[in-house]
Amino acid sequence: MPFRIQSRRLTQILSALALTVGTSLAALAPVPAQAGQVVVQKVNGQWALVDQGRIIPMRGVAVGNGAASLEKLRNTGTTVVRTYGEPDVWVLDEAQKYGLKVIMGLWMEHPRLGFSYQNQTAVEAQDRRISEFVTRYKDHPALLAWGVGNEVETDVADPLPVWKQVNRVAEMVKKIDPNHPTMMVVADTEDSRLQKLAGCCAAVDLLGINVYAGAVFTLPERVQKAGIVKPIIATEVGALGQWQAGRTAWGAPVEPSSTQKAIFFHKALPFLESQPNVLGSIAFMWGAKQEQTSTWHGLLLPDGSPLGAVDTLTELWNGKQPNNRAPEINGAGIAAEVYSPGDPITVGLSILDPDGDPIKLDFRLMNEATDLQKGGDAEAVPPEMAIQVETFPGTIALFDAPTLPGDYRLFVTVHDPDGKAATVNMPFQVVGPAPPKGATENQQGQAVTPDGLPIQAALTGPNAATTREEIQRDLAKLKASRERRQDIKKRQEERQKTKKVSTTAPKTTKKPKDS
């Protein structure tokens, strides 16, 4: 599967140690520890990571899929960054620059992708790669822990043999670097698999579980019932995943808006940090990745714009809202789900900028993704086509359906002047006969325009949430306007037809009257 916390738990720990929330990490020395060591232990009944005598609050984000700068994390209160493998080694130096700690991922190959743990030559090569990497970076000042593998058990009928391989690699890592704890990461799937973890993997100090949507709120209890006693970290916390979401009649998953995702984080992260068997949480993910859509799992847009969930992290981890807040999409709807080629499509939007900033709307139309993979594997970005959108007082958008039948998804993004954004998308389907040769789309279903780019519509001035009545009123006006335009066009066509007939009809000679 695809990756806050100025917590009540942290506050309790600090209070018990007679420290204030404003105390710097350098001053935290609640538990004696060997110099240079990071240890996992309980402090006043709560699990904690202690780095050279300093408690490291687990306010984490996951980073992967390329170099998404960590600079904007400085003001969010984030303390820890999780990575997935050696290509993310750039994170160590950048995290050090911004005072962050890193759970450095060590990638272990997946059987579902063809790797065999019975192939001794392949296993030895993987061991050599990992051991050389650990040897090189074990003394990096930003290193907090090693993350050994990520969901290696995906699509494996019996996960235990693979998990024993993870444990073996973790043991190898601990021999090379006894100063940093090891963590394995599994997917939250069947509870029966959690039970198998209870007696597994003694060389693993931390159990990471990737968990999404409502499963977050049952995870601590399920882990306890499974008999797992080691501390757990929610290593990917995310809103509703595409595998969990409701679907259209043709099977397209319905993605929550970025505002709905921010609301989820506001509930999920404080809950997790209040649980004694949960050491911390890591939000998925700092960056953007194509997984069903390009917006489903990222805290940022592909252009780096922070979404509302970043404001949520800032509020929870710093105890106050950021000075500038992201726009909000409080409602969005498409008039229907199925259209004929070329039909007019109307979209209703309820948009609010909490700071009253002027906003800009961006509309993108894309084919529905078809290169769907498992376990967060790389997916191809579907084709995009240019569309011309009419907007009506910021509440209604109008465009024409593609003439090529197929499955589509309209993306609406709201930008404020300070670089923050909100996004929502709506799937729809075009059903009908294929267009004749020479239609306005190319073979990829993209509209042919000189620049091939989507049309942007700008909105200015303070914005307030649009009520249902206002949307219905504007829709009625829009419908009447469109009907008038169609009526005018029809009458013009009839006049042209009549004129053509009159000019092509044969002339007749009038017969003179008899005298």
Side-chain angles (χ1 to χ4, degrees):
M1 299 176 193
F3 319 55
R4 65 187 191 200
I5 304 176
Q6 183 161 5
S7 67
R8 282 191 300 243
R9 179 175 57 206
L10 177 60
T11 302
Q12 290 167 356
I13 294 173
L14 296 178
S15 298
L17 298 169
L19 297 170
T20 63
V21 175
T23 303
S24 67
L25 287 176
L28 294 179
V31 183
Q34 180 181 340
Q37 275 197 329
V38 179
V39 296
V40 183
Q41 60 188 83
K42 281 190 175 181
V43 179
N44 287 356
Q46 300 284 352
W47 285 110
L49 277 171
V50 182
D51 180 10
Q52 302 180 64
R54 302 170 299 171
I55 291 177
I56 304 298
M58 185 55 64
R59 308 168 186 162
V61 298
V63 173
N65 195 44
S69 172
L70 305 185
E71 183 177 5
K72 293 177 182 176
L73 280 174
R74 288 185 299 180
N75 299 322
T76 64
T78 300
T79 59
V80 176
V81 178
R82 178 200 168 195
T83 72
Y84 288 76
E86 296 92 313
D88 298 320
V89 69
W90 62 272
V91 172
L92 285 170
D93 287 342
E94 188 158 344
Q96 178 66 13
K97 183 166 59 175
Y98 298 121
L100 304 169
K101 289 292 184 178
V102 179
I103 299 176
M104 187 66 223
L106 301 171
W107 184 256
M108 290 186 64
E109 298 295 343
H110 291 207
R112 66 187 176 86
L113 299 177
F115 188 88
S116 173
Y117 281 92
Q118 283 70 51
N119 184 330
Q120 192 62 29
T121 300
V123 170
E124 288 176 357
Q126 176 173 262
D127 287 354
R128 187 164 52 252
R129 167 177 58 81
I130 292 174
S131 63
E132 290 173 354
F133 186 85
V134 172
T135 300
R136 181 173 182 180
Y137 292 102
K138 65 184 178 64
D139 296 319
H140 196 288
L143 181 64
L144 181 66
W146 297 105
V148 185
N150 181 72
E151 299 187 3
V152 185
E153 78 284 355
T154 301
D155 278 358
V156 174
D158 181 6
L160 266 180
V162 175
W163 285 342
K164 289 179 180 178
Q165 289 289 333
V166 174
N167 184 69
R168 183 188 60 79
V169 173
E171 188 174 17
M172 177 186 74
V173 170
K174 291 175 78 71
K175 289 179 180 178
I176 301 170
D177 178 15
N179 293 326
H180 296 94
T182 57
M183 178 181 75
M184 69 181 293
V185 178
V186 303
D188 179 32
T189 52
E190 302 171 11
D191 287 353
S192 59
R193 292 199 167 203
L194 290 179
Q195 294 169 4
K196 292 185 177 183
L197 283 167
C200 175
C201 311
V204 171
D205 302 305
L206 299 163
L207 175 60
I209 303 178
N210 297 337
V211 61
Y212 288 79
V216 165
F217 303 100
T218 62
L219 180 65
E221 181 181 0
R222 290 186 287 117
V223 166
Q224 187 176 21
K225 285 183 177 180
I228 296 171
V229 295
K230 66 179 59 179
I232 65 171
I233 296 178
T235 38
E236 287 180 12
V237 179
L240 194 72
Q242 68 271 23
W243 60 92
Q244 301 166 310
R247 293 180 178 267
T248 63
W250 60 95
V254 179
E255 179 179 346
S257 70
S258 60
T259 302
Q260 290 172 315
K261 295 172 189 175
I263 293 171
F264 165 80
F265 278 109
H266 216 292
K267 296 177 181 178
L269 296 179
F271 169 79
L272 286 171
E273 66 174 307
S274 71
Q275 305 301 306
N277 58 342
V278 180
L279 190 147
S281 304
I282 298 173
F284 189 80
M285 65 171 288
W286 188 258
K289 70 190 297 275
Q290 173 66 37
E291 189 171 336
Q292 187 71 52
T293 73
S294 61
T295 58
W296 205 302
H297 294 290
L299 300 170
L300 310 176
L301 290 178
D303 65 4
S305 300
L307 297 167
V310 178
D311 289 353
T312 299
L313 301 186
T314 304
E315 181 180 351
L316 291 174
W317 293 344
N318 282 335
K320 61 180 181 180
Q321 292 181 337
N323 294 330
N324 177 71
R325 292 168 292 172
E328 298 174 1
I329 298 176
N330 295 315
I334 193 166
E337 288 188 334
V338 181
Y339 296 89
S340 296
D343 273 357
I345 298 178
T346 55
V347 176
L349 300 169
S350 175
I351 300 169
L352 167 69
D353 188 275
D355 308 307
D357 293 331
I359 58 173
K360 183 180 73 172
L361 287 178
D362 177 58
F363 297 88
R364 298 171 60 215
L365 181 61
M366 306 186 78
N367 286 105
E368 185 65 23
T370 55
D371 182 33
L372 304 178
Q373 304 297 324
K374 290 185 178 181
D377 292 345
E379 298 179 2
V381 178
E384 178 178 353
M385 57 211 67
I387 55 172
Q388 186 168 352
V389 179
E390 295 178 79
T391 57
F392 295 79
T395 64
I396 299 296
L398 170 68
F399 68 101
D400 292 332
T403 58
L404 188 67
D407 299 340
Y408 298 90
R409 195 175 286 259
L410 176 71
F411 291 79
V412 183
T413 304
V414 187
H415 299 273
D416 76 3
D418 293 305
K420 291 191 173 181
T423 185
V424 69
N425 63 71
M426 290 155 276
F428 67 93
Q429 195 172 44
V430 175
V431 178
K437 291 183 178 180
T440 57
E441 281 84 20
N442 62 20
Q443 292 181 350
Q444 287 74 41
Q446 298 168 313
V448 177
T449 64
D451 55 10
L453 296 175
I455 304 299
Q456 290 186 334
L459 299 176
T460 58
N463 293 274
T466 304
T467 65
R468 180 183 297 273
E469 290 75 16
E470 288 173 321
I471 290 177
Q472 291 175 339
R473 181 192 64 202
D474 289 344
L475 275 173
K477 290 181 180 178
L478 181 61
K479 181 179 179 181
S481 174
R482 189 170 187 86
E483 288 175 348
R484 285 195 299 271
R485 293 200 306 269
Q486 290 174 339
D487 183 61
I488 292 171
K489 183 178 179 181
K490 182 177 180 181
R491 281 183 286 168
Q492 288 175 336
E493 290 174 347
E494 288 175 350
R495 284 199 297 268
Q496 289 293 330
K497 184 176 180 181
T498 302
K499 183 178 180 181
K500 184 176 181 181
V501 170
S502 64
T503 56
T504 57
K507 294 183 178 180
T508 57
T509 303
K510 188 176 181 179
K511 185 178 180 180
K513 292 182 179 181
D514 292 337
S515 55

